[in-house]
Amino acid sequence: MATKTTATKTKKKTVTKALKFKDVKKIKIKTIDPDIATQKGLFNEGCYGSGCNDICCEYGCDVDYASYKLILKHKKLIEPLIKAKVEDCFSTELKVDDDYIGGGFRETAVRDSDERCAFHLRKKKGCSLFYLWMTKGLTKRLIPTICRTYPITWHRGHLFVDRPLRSICKCLESSGGKKVPSLYETQKKEVKALFDLPKNELSKIEQIVKDK
Ligand code: SF4
Ligand code: SF4
């Protein structure tokens, strides 16, 4: 806590270096792992139809700077759902990084009570940010990129499946012998909205899907 010493009449100044964020609108991808087109996807109702108990929220996530600003803007709607202050929902400081939309990110904290990300709904399935997008019509940008595309992820220009997949993830569930769409197909809308994808890499992926 900052204190003011009246005896010496000196004021401690906190010098905060202003962070400079690049205005990243889409994350730049150079290579795409063909694995995303062969791995079974989040078929039928996807995550909502899965009995996984949202296990992939157990470590929290990186929140893009663009989403972070919206989370702060809508904190009055979020806080009653998570029963916590938004300011207490992060485990790291904001960092500049142009591998994220908005040019930076901040990591979420994990709750002790249920070992889920601080933005997970209390005592029920689902995420408060997805919930507000679905029920209140807030922009989808409120939801971090990783949570919209998972288990497809990225790192420094490479798009790939985040392996090992959780054994209870929907995309490892039996489809009873029925042909189901690949991860690329179930996540395609999000992937295209959030990443700047090279045409040649994308056509290779589309071809794999066609040849299946
Ligand atoms: S932001 Fe939502 S979807 Fe993402 S890890 Fe946290 S609770 Fe899960
Ligand atoms: S990605 Fe897999 S583990 Fe995560 S919520 Fe969806 S079905 Fe569950």
Side-chain angles (χ1 to χ4, degrees):
M1 186 191 231
T3 55
K4 197 165 94 170
T5 314
T6 45
T8 56
K9 292 204 168 91
T10 57
K11 225 178 182 180
K12 209 172 176 182
K13 263 193 204 165
T14 312
V15 183
T16 338
K17 213 172 147 194
L19 297 174
K20 287 197 177 136
F21 298 97
K22 275 195 196 162
D23 188 18
V24 179
K25 299 261 194 263
K26 281 188 170 193
I27 301 163
K28 187 109 189 130
I29 295 297
K30 292 185 200 135
T31 52
I32 308 176
D33 194 324
D35 192 21
I36 71 166
T38 51
Q39 169 60 50
K40 196 162 60 181
L42 301 171
F43 59 102
N44 291 349
E45 291 175 321
C47 301
Y48 282 95
S50 162
C52 67
N53 201 18
D54 301 346
I55 189 74
C56 62
C57 298
E58 70 175 339
Y59 298 122
C61 66
D62 294 346
V63 177
D64 311 66
Y65 185 46
S67 306
Y68 177 71
K69 287 190 284 185
L70 288 164
I71 287 172
L72 296 185
K73 182 176 167 189
H74 296 295
K75 66 180 182 179
K76 286 211 165 67
L77 292 173
I78 299 168
E79 288 173 347
L81 299 171
I82 58 172
K83 309 224 178 326
K85 292 274 173 211
V86 154
E87 287 80 3
D88 297 332
C89 291
F90 296 92
S91 62
T92 61
E93 294 302 317
L94 199 55
K95 289 182 193 144
V96 170
D97 190 331
D98 57 14
D99 211 17
Y100 292 87
I101 294 179
F105 74 102
R106 196 168 179 197
E107 289 172 51
T108 66
V110 173
R111 279 196 299 253
D112 288 338
S113 57
D114 57 1
E115 294 180 343
R116 288 293 175 270
C117 170
F119 288 98
H120 196 274
L121 290 169
R122 289 274 182 170
K123 295 185 182 162
K124 51 181 147 169
K125 191 166 173 64
C127 164
S128 61
L129 308 178
F130 273 98
Y131 177 83
L132 288 172
W133 164 67
M134 286 189 296
T135 61
K136 303 279 178 204
L138 298 191
T139 166
K140 207 172 192 182
R141 187 59 273 167
L142 182 71
I143 306 160
T145 297
I146 184 62
C147 308
R148 289 172 61 179
T149 64
Y150 202 77
I152 292 181
T153 188
W154 78 99
H155 184 68
R156 310 276 174 232
H158 187 50
L159 195 72
F160 57 100
V161 179
D162 189 20
R163 294 197 183 277
L165 291 163
R166 311 304 171 92
S167 59
I168 48 173
C169 181
K170 184 79 186 174
C171 59
L172 292 184
E173 212 174 88
S174 164
S175 60
K178 276 193 200 147
K179 198 178 168 206
V180 292
S182 66
L183 256 186
Y184 169 68
E185 290 164 280
T186 60
Q187 313 304 83
K188 181 160 74 173
K189 196 172 154 211
E190 302 299 318
V191 164
K192 287 191 169 177
L194 297 162
F195 297 101
D196 178 6
L197 304 158
K199 279 197 184 120
N200 60 333
E201 287 286 299
L202 199 54
S203 38
K204 275 191 235 165
I205 298 300
E206 301 273 6
Q207 195 58 49
I208 296 170
V209 169
K210 255 190 214 161
D211 295 343
K212 267 201 310 167

